[in-house]
DNA sequence: GCAAAAGTGTTAGAAGTACACCCATGA
DNA sequence: TCATGGGTGTACTTCTAACACTTTTGC
């Protein structure tokens, strides 16, 4: 048994990625789980925390081991602590084996994080050992533990956070992006449809978006202008006018 | 030692109450802590969780033991899991004694909840054993653990949640309230000032606020009309119009 | 009558909504 | 030249902000 593991608390990460069309979630295989078939036994990336490790550090560690990324904005959004989270016995057996624990795990409280990423070449060559896959949020299989619930709440949380601070969504896009890409991201996350003309007007008033001279290349229609995100101080991003 | 206690995970409750002027927090004495003086040794109400208890249940239990209230809207807002949360040795010693644990506690992850209450007669006769007090958020003493941080984040969380769903704030008010009371609550929580006339206009458009015929009584100025909150389905409360 | 808080009208500007049409590009 | 998506103009409605004066009540 790893002496530094805290066997009561874990972190789980809901990595949400945008592929140009829809939101995807990164899931990993429960490696070495018995009775596996080709579609089953997936879970969210996560880990028990170490005894001397902050929660945020543990989440960064999980993400880094999986993707190699560092300094990603991981947002804690909820703790899941139902007493019956491990009600499926194969889940607790798997945990005990995976972490080389020599006592029975009755219960784990997990702290769930979410992070927004763009799915690009780097994301494709994920650390091999984890059998990680991006899956559209609408097509998730049954995951281990209560991980399906966790994904649903993560998406809801991102939806809410991004209405308060729309700049969060820029993490889902490449450094240069078109107006249409940004619009589709917002439509997806917020679950709305947006008038194209009005969106361009709005774009022009966003202080944190800068138009570039550069345009798309090699498309068989009129080339779209690129924009870039300009990070500004955290004040007044929400444009949270009050009821008056 | 109580065999049902989980010695790694706790819940802490930030009970926010409105007294007509400002937001107050409920804090309790760390009973039996050595070296106490009359101003010190306060903390947030909280408890280690029981092994077979959901997090939400634990939070309700803490609130119920303290105030006698049931069915209160407790909102989980963040887990605090810094590895050094118990860096003050007297805090961990107190915990071990209070819970009659016979081993050393190195570290606890706490799940923090917040709840909005009105401060009325029932609140005044709190369960005596806890030495509980309401303190204006601006005048909090140094609390045990990282509880001062937790209070700050609770207030911020309520501020954000209430911009998305203003109906949360009605828990801070009596069943019948005046326009001025509601306005002051919003001004306090959101940290804004609101034009009185414009507020009345807005009030008239809120589908979840109903004017009553009843008016204040026995005040030495013009009597204010009472309003009541009308709970409606959860859809569209935020009036979350999208960027268009 | 006077102190103290409640309540009301109007206007100008900004922001959001709803439409239908023209533009640039590669095939 | 045509199919494909990119980009625009204009009128209308709604929301927001900024103002100062009148009303009711107990003392």
């Amino acid at each position: 048994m790893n002496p530094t593991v805290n066997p009561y608390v874990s972190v789980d990460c809901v990595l949400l990625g945008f592929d140009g069309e829809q939101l995807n979630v990164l899931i990993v295989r429960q490696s070495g789980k018995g009775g596996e078939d080709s579609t089953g036994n997936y879970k969210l990336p996560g880990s028990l925390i170490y005894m001397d490790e902050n929660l945020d550090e543990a989440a960064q560690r999980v993400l880094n081991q999986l993707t190699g990324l560092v300094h990603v904005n991981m947002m804690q959004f909820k703790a899941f602590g139902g007493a019956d989270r491990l009600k499926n016995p194969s889940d607790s057996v798997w945990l005990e084996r995976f972490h080389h624990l020599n006592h029975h795990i009755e219960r784990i409280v997990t702290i769930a994080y979410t992070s927004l990423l763009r799915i690009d070449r780097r994301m494709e060559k994920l650390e091999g050992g984890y059998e990680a896959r991006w899956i559209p949020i609408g097509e998730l299989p049954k995951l281990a533990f209560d991980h399906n619930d966790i994904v649903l709440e993560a998406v809801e949380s991102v939806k809410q956070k991004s209405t308060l601070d729309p700049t969060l969504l820029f993490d889902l896009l490449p450094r240069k992006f078109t107006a249409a890409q940004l619009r589709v991201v917002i439509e997806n996350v917020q679950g709305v449809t947006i008038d194209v003309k009005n969106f361009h007007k709005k774009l022009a008033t966003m202080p944190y978006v800068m138009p570039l001279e550069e345009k798309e290349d090699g498309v068989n229609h009129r080339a779209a202008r690129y924009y870039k995100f300009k990070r500004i101080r955290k004040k007044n991003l929400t444009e949270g006018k009050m009821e008056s």
Side-chain angles (χ1 to χ4, degrees), chain A:
Chain A
M1 163 173 179
N2 184 334
T4 66
V5 161
N6 178 324
Y8 291 85
V9 181
S10 64
V11 295
D12 283 300
C13 300
V14 181
L15 305 183
L16 295 173
F18 192 71
D19 60 10
E21 285 196 9
Q22 53 189 330
L23 279 180
N24 290 56
V25 189
L26 194 75
I27 57 176
V28 299
R29 201 54 155 297
Q30 281 183 287
S31 57
K33 180 156 179 175
E36 58 195 299
D37 60 75
S38 64
T39 61
N41 298 330
Y42 279 96
K43 63 187 275 289
L44 290 173
S47 167
L48 291 175
I49 65 172
Y50 298 153
M51 267 301 182
D52 60 351
E53 185 181 48
N54 294 333
L55 294 175
D56 293 355
E57 289 169 3
Q60 292 284 351
R61 169 171 59 80
V62 167
L63 179 125
N64 177 260
Q65 287 173 355
L66 190 61
T67 65
L69 295 174
V70 293
H71 299 133
V72 168
N73 180 22
M74 296 284 296
M75 300 173 284
Q76 194 204 107
F77 70 94
K78 188 172 178 188
F80 291 79
D84 62 351
R85 289 189 64 238
L86 306 191
K87 64 174 179 290
N88 184 340
S90 74
D91 284 337
S92 39
V93 169
W94 175 81
L95 266 174
E96 290 152 18
R97 246 201 282 155
F98 184 82
H99 286 284
H100 312 106
L101 303 176
N102 54 19
H103 71 287
H104 182 58
I105 291 190
E106 289 177 59
R107 175 180 187 179
I108 290 181
V109 172
T110 198
I111 317 299
Y113 284 77
T114 187
S115 187
L116 303 176
L117 302 170
R118 65 176 185 276
I119 302 178
D120 61 8
R121 312 121 218 98
R122 298 175 68 188
M123 285 300 100
E124 284 157 15
K125 53 170 183 214
L126 293 160
E127 299 301 315
Y130 291 95
E131 296 190 68
R133 302 178 48 189
W134 288 104
I135 303 277
I137 46 172
E139 302 170 19
L140 273 186
K142 173 79 187 73
L143 304 177
F145 309 104
D146 51 358
H147 287 187
N148 291 84
D149 294 339
I150 294 178
V151 171
L152 289 178
E153 297 216 32
V155 171
E156 189 55 33
S157 159
V158 167
K159 180 173 167 179
Q160 291 191 11
K161 287 203 171 88
S162 67
T163 60
L164 260 41
D165 178 4
T167 67
L168 290 177
L169 298 180
F170 289 95
D171 290 340
L172 291 168
L173 292 170
R175 215 164 354 265
K176 294 184 302 195
F177 52 86
T178 68
Q181 287 177 309
L182 177 56
R183 183 169 50 79
V184 172
V185 163
I186 297 175
E187 289 181 332
N188 257 269
V189 173
Q190 313 263 351
V192 294
T193 57
I194 303 177
D195 180 275
V196 176
K197 171 55 172 120
N198 294 337
F199 184 67
H200 276 272
K201 259 195 297 185
K202 183 88 175 186
L203 202 53
T205 73
M206 295 181 183
Y208 43 82
V209 174
M210 306 213 54
L212 302 176
E213 290 314 311
E214 201 176 343
K215 302 203 167 169
E216 277 181 325
D217 198 24
V219 287
N220 72 340
H221 54 74
R222 180 172 172 178
R225 174 188 289 275
Y226 282 120
Y227 294 81
K228 73 170 185 180
F229 173 51
K230 182 183 153 209
R231 200 164 286 285
I232 55 180
R233 60 208 160 286
K234 293 253 167 180
K235 285 291 172 203
N236 290 353
L237 286 185
T238 71
E239 289 164 34
K241 309 291 170 48
M242 233 339 277
E243 340 217 346
S244 67

